[in-house]
Amino acid sequence: MAPCRALGTAGTRLTLQPTFSLFTSRKESLTFSNTENTSALVCLNEIHLFGVLLAILGNLVISISLNIQKYSHLQLAHQEHPRPYFKSVLWWGSIVLMAVGETGNFAAYGFAPITLIAPLGCMSVTGSAIISVMFLKENLRASDLLGMTLAFAGTYLLVNFAPNITQDISARTVQYYFVGWQFMTYGILEILIFCILLYFHKRKGIKHIAILLTLVALLASLTVISVKAVSGMITFSVTDKMQLTYPIFYIMFIIMIASCVFQVKLLNQATKLYSTATVVPVNHTFFTISAIIAEIPLKATTTKKILKYWEKNM
């Protein structure tokens, strides 16, 4: 049996390179290597498929929750003495459903890359459009149908042609990302943009859908990074070495919860002011863009790490 050596540093297993035994012919080694690589590829595809199914189900549940949230706002608006939305049982029901859907997305990031999971938010766009027409009696225009078609086309292109690199994420890997200049530059730019938009939203009272959902998207990029880190460290703890003792795990967990809470608050404002047929597609577009941009610094750092490893060991 030809041994394999892992490419990567501590906490990151990227690919397997076959090494040939002195007692095994090159032809036999290549045959074994091809069989082993095929089995590994099939296993990897099955894991990714499981993540995709979790993401699809999670997004469908989220689309239901957003429509229930909109329905609760409509009910409260038609009451003679409207009460605060957070006192509505229906509104809390939508929040619970949203939490369930986001949990599905959370789990999906542990099984598949961000570039594969993030575009699948188009399922929430389609589901929300159908539900809003059937139950909220909102109009479905030809432009909405065209938008859904383009969303599916874009999702297909992203899923099929995006780089499909899977790596195990440990606490040390996350720490390495944090100190990289690529991630720090991205983080500073995101904070600056967020503060500027928040100023216009709070101080100037501008409640345009683009500002609200850009704020949501910027928070979502933090959520995506933290969710990927937390789910990756949990998976690494189960399959390899315990990672839950590292402080970085709890820092990422706090970032994940805080960004999710503020996202829900801003999304609630958006659904209160605009129809779900408008909010969901725009939110999906902004979220997908922010999630993919958020992964670029991580990919750049990973590529740099691989090159350093080769320079050191080859």
Side-chain angles (χ1 to χ4, degrees), residues 118-137:
L120 294 174
C122 74
M123 297 306 299
S124 67
V125 176
T126 307
S128 182
I130 294 169
I131 294 168
S132 64
V133 169
M134 292 177 64
F135 296 100
L136 299 180
K137 307 303 179 185

Side-chain angles (χ1 to χ4, degrees), residues 174-195:
V174 177
Q175 290 170 353
Y176 186 88
Y177 288 151
F178 263 42
V179 298
W181 70 266
Q182 298 95 335
F183 185 82
M184 292 183 73
T185 304
Y186 168 77
I188 291 168
L189 286 174
E190 179 166 305
I191 291 168
L192 283 173
I193 296 169
F194 185 85
C195 290

Side-chain angles (χ1 to χ4, degrees), residues 5-16 165-177 228 232-233 236 239-241 243 298-299 301-307 309 313:
R5 55 188 174 87
L7 262 185
T9 53
T12 306
R13 292 194 296 274
L14 297 164
T15 56
L16 287 176
I165 302 172
T166 302
Q167 61 179 126
D168 295 328
I169 298 175
S170 68
R172 288 184 179 181
T173 307
V174 177
Q175 290 170 353
Y176 186 88
Y177 288 151
K228 186 68 179 176
M233 283 187 276
F236 197 90
T239 58
D240 200 309
K241 184 181 176 182
Q243 302 295 303
L298 306 186
K299 294 291 185 186
T301 309
T302 303
T303 305
K304 186 179 177 183
K305 181 184 280 191
I306 295 170
L307 292 173
Y309 178 86
N313 293 278

Side-chain angles (χ1 to χ4, degrees), residues 263-282:
Q263 274 185 83
V264 169
K265 185 178 179 181
L266 290 166
L267 265 178
N268 180 65
Q269 289 183 33
T271 54
K272 192 175 180 180
L273 295 170
Y274 303 94
S275 68
T276 50
T278 304
V279 172
V280 176
V282 176

Side-chain angles (χ1 to χ4, degrees), residues 56-120:
I56 290 171
L57 289 173
N59 281 303
L60 289 175
V61 173
I62 288 169
S63 66
I64 294 169
S65 72
L66 286 171
N67 279 278
I68 292 174
Q69 194 174 111
K70 180 65 179 179
Y71 181 70
S72 69
H73 286 309
L74 291 172
Q75 271 197 334
L76 292 170
H78 287 93
Q79 289 179 358
E80 188 177 350
H81 301 288
R83 54 180 177 168
Y85 62 85
F86 54 83
K87 291 186 177 180
S88 169
V89 176
L90 202 59
W91 185 84
W92 279 108
S94 71
I95 294 299
V96 171
L97 279 177
M98 185 176 286
V100 171
E102 291 295 354
T103 302
N105 279 335
F106 168 82
Y109 284 112
F111 295 98
I114 294 173
T115 48
L116 184 60
I117 298 301
L120 294 174

Side-chain angles (χ1 to χ4, degrees), residues 160-286:
N160 279 276
F161 297 105
N164 189 13
I165 302 172
T166 302
Q167 61 179 126
D168 295 328
I169 298 175
S170 68
R172 288 184 179 181
T173 307
V174 177
Q175 290 170 353
Y176 186 88
Y177 288 151
F178 263 42
V179 298
W181 70 266
Q182 298 95 335
F183 185 82
M184 292 183 73
T185 304
Y186 168 77
I188 291 168
L189 286 174
E190 179 166 305
I191 291 168
L192 283 173
I193 296 169
F194 185 85
C195 290
I196 291 167
L197 291 175
L198 193 63
Y199 170 79
F200 281 107
H201 175 58
K202 292 290 186 182
R203 296 288 183 177
K204 301 295 183 181
I206 300 175
K207 300 186 183 297
H208 194 275
I209 188 171
I211 289 181
L212 283 169
L213 294 184
T214 302
L215 288 169
V216 172
L218 291 171
L219 288 169
S221 66
L222 286 178
T223 306
V224 166
I225 293 169
S226 57
V227 162
K228 186 68 179 176
V230 170
S231 60
M233 283 187 276
I234 291 173
T235 304
F236 197 90
S237 298
V238 173
T239 58
D240 200 309
K241 184 181 176 182
M242 177 59 65
Q243 302 295 303
L244 307 188
T245 56
Y246 290 87
I248 192 67
F249 174 81
Y250 299 98
I251 292 170
M252 299 307 291
F253 186 79
I254 291 168
I255 292 172
M256 180 184 72
I257 297 298
S259 59
C260 282
V261 169
F262 285 108
Q263 274 185 83
V264 169
K265 185 178 179 181
L266 290 166
L267 265 178
N268 180 65
Q269 289 183 33
T271 54
K272 192 175 180 180
L273 295 170
Y274 303 94
S275 68
T276 50
T278 304
V279 172
V280 176
V282 176
N283 184 52
H284 164 63
T285 304
F286 286 8

Side-chain angles (χ1 to χ4, degrees), residues 13-78:
R13 292 194 296 274
L14 297 164
T15 56
L16 287 176
Q17 294 285 338
T19 56
F20 302 112
S21 170
L22 294 173
F23 303 101
T24 308
S25 70
R26 182 178 179 82
K27 185 176 180 181
E28 288 175 348
S29 298
L30 285 170
T31 303
F32 178 81
S33 175
N34 289 335
T35 305
E36 189 179 50
N37 288 340
T38 302
S39 301
L41 185 62
V42 170
C43 182
L44 183 64
N45 287 336
E46 288 177 352
I47 293 170
H48 285 182
L49 179 61
F50 183 67
V52 166
L53 291 175
L54 280 175
I56 290 171
L57 289 173
N59 281 303
L60 289 175
V61 173
I62 288 169
S63 66
I64 294 169
S65 72
L66 286 171
N67 279 278
I68 292 174
Q69 194 174 111
K70 180 65 179 179
Y71 181 70
S72 69
H73 286 309
L74 291 172
Q75 271 197 334
L76 292 170
H78 287 93

